Amino acid sequence: MWSCGLLNGTGQGEEQLCQDLRLGLWVLSLLHLVAGVPVGLGYNALLVLANLSNKSSMTMPDVYFVNMAVAGLVLTALAPVHLLGSPYSRWALWSLSSEAHVTLLILFNVASLVTMYSTALLSLDYYIERALPRTYMASVYNTRHVCGFVWGGALLTSFSSLLFYICSHVSSRITECAKMQNTEAADTLLVLIGYIVPGLAVLYALVLISRIRKEDTPLDQEAGRLDPSVHRLLVATVCTQFGLWTPYYLSLLGHMVLVSRGRPVDGHYLGILHFAKDLSKFLAFVSSSVTPLLYRYINKNFPTKLRRLIKKMHCGQRRCSLDPAGVQQVMAQA
């Protein structure tokens, strides 16, 4: 992923360290492409299909996880190009045009924003469900509409990258675009909207949830309430997503800090920065494979939905017999 050309002329020890780091990153990237990408594609696709084929049994958390799974499919599809197609790669096969790089960047940012905001909104809606039962404020119907706004907002925010690319080509003609030739403003916007805002929302929601859990009421034993495993799934998802995405946003923040100094960055720090960006992107791609695995092993209802999906696939056009477990679950949610 990362070339040591930026460190030419440095000490022998730093050059050897650079080679070792690049080799380690290549090994991790290849392992993820061989194992992580198939797992991510398979489990994200199963998560989406199993829930969409059983829409009547979907709960509020399921809707958010379906959106994260769709974003995970996008990230998994982009992983081979990003992990093997770094601008410093010498592979002619991955020598993409600048237009293609901008397109990939926009898709990556959209998936990132959808993942972070789905996690934040899941935390907030889980608190609403616990604090205000029977209000249906965090219902499946409302959640689907909210997720539509999340995708639309992610597209609008990611278009800032496209705007900076266009301005870099017409800056000689338009004076306003001459002030927008770098991407630091776009990175600042992405860090603020894509990380700080959802991070504060998650932190606020977790504090409120922790207070509610200390004051459980008899309503928590109702059959219509969310399964207790949802809390474990929520905590695991928040820790995973923010743990694996934080290095990426920190690398953007570090780049902005270095540029704001107004002095050229020497090859040593520039090489470290590029390596940090590549490593942080690798961790971001790993998140797309870990999240569906968490959903698979923590959510107790997923195996049942998966069996129903397989049964429907075997039935084909024939009418399948009703699943007693599925009927009971729907009646319990009604």
Side-chain angles (χ1 to χ4, degrees):
M1 291 175 57
W2 178 46
S3 172
C4 294
L6 293 171
L7 296 182
N8 287 340
T10 60
Q12 184 65 29
E14 293 182 355
E15 182 69 20
Q16 183 60 41
L17 177 61
C18 168
Q19 297 290 344
D20 294 340
L21 290 175
R22 189 184 70 168
L23 178 61
L25 197 52
W26 266 107
V27 171
L28 290 176
S29 300
L30 291 178
L31 286 176
H32 179 68
L33 292 175
V34 172
V37 169
V39 169
L41 287 175
Y43 272 99
N44 280 310
L46 287 176
L47 195 160
V48 173
L49 293 175
N51 280 284
L52 293 184
S53 64
N54 297 275
K55 293 182 179 180
S56 59
S57 64
M58 286 182 66
T59 61
M60 174 269 296
D62 294 330
V63 179
Y64 285 121
F65 275 96
V66 167
N67 279 270
M68 283 189 276
V70 174
L73 288 173
V74 175
L75 288 173
T76 306
L78 297 176
V81 181
H82 274 280
L83 296 180
L84 298 178
S86 170
Y88 308 100
S89 175
R90 298 179 181 179
W91 290 22
L93 178 63
W94 302 105
S95 298
L96 302 176
S97 62
S98 56
E99 290 83 0
H101 279 297
V102 171
T103 302
L104 295 175
L105 179 62
I106 291 176
L107 292 176
F108 181 85
N109 290 339
V110 168
S112 167
L113 291 170
V114 169
T115 299
M116 300 302 285
Y117 272 92
S118 295
T119 305
L121 292 172
L122 171 62
S123 304
L124 293 171
D125 277 3
Y126 180 77
Y127 164 72
I128 294 174
E129 177 68 19
R130 292 294 305 273
L132 302 172
R134 300 174 181 172
T135 60
Y136 302 101
M137 291 180 62
S139 64
V140 175
Y141 177 80
N142 292 334
T143 303
R144 289 172 179 169
H145 287 75
V146 169
C147 289
F149 282 105
V150 169
W151 281 97
L155 285 171
L156 290 175
T157 304
S158 299
F159 267 17
S160 60
S161 301
L162 180 61
L163 177 62
F164 282 94
Y165 171 76
I166 294 175
C167 283
S168 66
H169 281 69
V170 299
S171 58
S172 58
R173 303 178 184 177
I174 304 178
T175 306
E176 290 77 6
C177 280
K179 303 176 182 178
M180 304 173 59
Q181 293 184 21
N182 55 57
T183 60
E184 284 72 32
D187 291 342
T188 303
L189 182 65
L190 191 61
V191 171
L192 176 63
I193 297 179
Y195 182 75
I196 295 178
V197 172
L200 292 176
V202 166
L203 183 61
Y204 179 66
L206 290 180
V207 171
L208 295 176
I209 291 171
S210 65
R211 291 181 179 179
I212 287 184
R213 287 184 66 83
K214 296 178 182 178
E215 304 174 358
D216 287 339
T217 65
L219 289 173
D220 296 317
Q221 277 70 46
E222 290 186 357
R225 299 300 300 277
L226 292 174
D227 192 275
S229 63
V230 174
H231 181 76
R232 298 194 301 272
L233 183 60
L234 169 65
V235 174
T237 302
V238 169
C239 294
T240 299
Q241 295 294 2
F242 278 85
L244 294 176
W245 278 99
T246 294
Y248 172 69
Y249 287 102
L250 288 180
S251 66
L252 294 180
L253 186 61
H255 180 260
M256 289 184 294
V257 171
L258 290 176
V259 172
S260 64
R261 293 165 56 186
R263 292 177 294 178
V265 182
D266 57 38
H268 175 75
Y269 290 107
L270 193 59
I272 294 176
L273 180 62
H274 283 297
F275 176 79
K277 282 186 175 182
D278 286 336
L279 180 60
S280 63
K281 277 192 175 183
F282 167 77
L283 294 176
F285 287 121
V286 170
S287 69
S288 64
S289 302
V290 175
T291 301
L293 291 177
L294 292 175
Y295 184 86
R296 162 65 180 83
Y297 289 105
I298 298 180
N299 191 343
K300 298 179 180 179
N301 297 324
F302 181 72
T304 303
K305 293 181 179 181
L306 194 57
R307 285 193 294 269
R308 270 184 258 157
L309 173 63
I310 296 175
K311 186 176 181 180
K312 285 184 178 181
M313 294 175 63
H314 283 300
C315 291
Q317 299 295 331
R318 296 175 298 171
R319 184 179 180 83
C320 295
S321 59
L322 293 177
D323 187 354
V327 174
Q328 293 178 3
Q329 184 178 4
V330 174
M331 292 179 62
Q333 295 174 354

